[in-house]
Amino acid sequence: MEPKYLYVMLSRTPTGMGKIIRVFTRSSYNHVSLTLDDSFRRFVSFARYAVDTPLAGGYIKESAERFLCGGAEVPVRIFRVEITEEKAQQLITLFARAGDRSTGLIYDSLAALLSTLHIRTHIPGAYTCLSFASKVLGIPFRSLQELANHLAPWEIFRGDFRTIVQDGHDRSDPYFTPRGFFRGTADTAAHFGRLFCRLTRICQYKDSLEL
């Protein structure tokens, strides 16, 4: 039986939010994505839905073009972790749900912002890219650097993402459809409304992310 692998990629994204996170956390990277595919064309993570709406997001499928579209260098570290057949099947099922908003899983923008102040929160059904990776790996990492240190023995690549994956110029990813100022503002307000509703327990939500 061929071994099964989970690939974990840390990236230095060229977004404003990414730069803010790196400044305050003093980290070289600000985002983590997961995949079972060694072509590195498709990942899953918790991140923004649209390019111009940084704080409204959820459990999404990430195309390689999200990282490559700017044409600039994209520093990444990729780790390959061997997993069991049972774990692989669980992740296939879990990853297939990415992009389905009916799951109710949302991006924990509040935790992402508070992480710059080293403050941690927990909101049911809300994850950052790091807390999602922690959930999948079964280890509660407090920072991307801690995650990188733990996975260091399994690193298979470090460098510019463009050297291993080329931009296919596929812009079908919903990320590339701008929401515009008014719709983006409405999306962000609604998103934070859901977060605060769950945080204060006004809304009862049963976390549907199970492993």
Side-chain angles (χ1 to χ4, degrees), residues 13-205:
T13 60
T15 62
M17 179 59 70
K19 292 175 184 176
I20 291 172
I21 291 174
R22 291 195 300 273
V23 167
F24 281 94
T25 61
R26 299 180 181 179
S27 174
S28 299
Y29 304 91
N30 62 275
H31 188 55
V32 56
S33 309
L34 308 178
T35 186
L36 298 170
D37 181 6
D38 61 6
S39 73
F40 307 121
R41 303 262 6 144
R42 295 284 175 181
F43 298 86
V44 299
S45 188
F46 276 75
R48 68 180 71 188
Y49 291 130
V51 62
D52 61 348
T53 314
L55 296 177
Y59 184 32
I60 54 102
K61 294 180 180 178
E62 290 181 315
S63 64
E65 279 71 21
R66 282 198 182 211
F67 304 96
L68 300 168
C69 63
E73 180 183 5
V74 186
V76 302
R77 292 180 68 181
I78 299 177
F79 309 90
R80 184 178 69 178
V81 181
E82 186 169 352
I83 56 177
T84 64
E85 178 69 33
E86 180 183 7
K87 182 73 170 182
Q89 290 304 315
Q90 287 179 336
L91 294 182
I92 288 171
T93 300
L94 176 64
F95 291 179
R97 296 168 61 197
D100 180 2
R101 299 196 191 188
S102 69
T103 62
L105 297 168
I106 56 178
Y107 178 53
D108 197 344
S109 311
L110 185 61
L113 292 172
L114 292 177
S115 70
T116 62
L117 302 175
H118 305 287
I119 299 173
R120 295 180 179 83
T121 62
H122 173 69
I123 299 176
Y127 293 84
T128 62
C129 58
L130 177 61
S131 62
F132 175 58
S134 295
K135 179 87 170 183
V136 170
L137 292 167
I139 302 172
F141 298 106
R142 293 172 294 179
S143 68
L144 288 178
Q145 188 58 55
E146 190 175 292
L147 170 65
N149 291 342
H150 177 80
L151 295 179
W154 299 284
E155 183 174 275
I156 60 170
F157 178 80
R158 184 188 303 204
D160 187 352
F161 189 52
R162 299 174 304 169
T163 65
I164 58 172
V165 178
Q166 300 301 307
D167 187 350
H169 301 287
D170 178 4
R171 301 296 187 261
S172 60
D173 186 332
Y175 170 81
F176 294 106
T177 303
R179 294 293 290 164
F181 176 78
F182 293 107
R183 288 189 300 172
T185 300
D187 290 347
T188 301
H191 178 76
F192 274 91
R194 287 191 290 272
L195 286 174
F196 282 112
C197 188
R198 295 183 189 183
L199 180 64
T200 57
R201 300 298 192 271
I202 294 174
C203 302
Q204 296 299 316
Y205 177 81

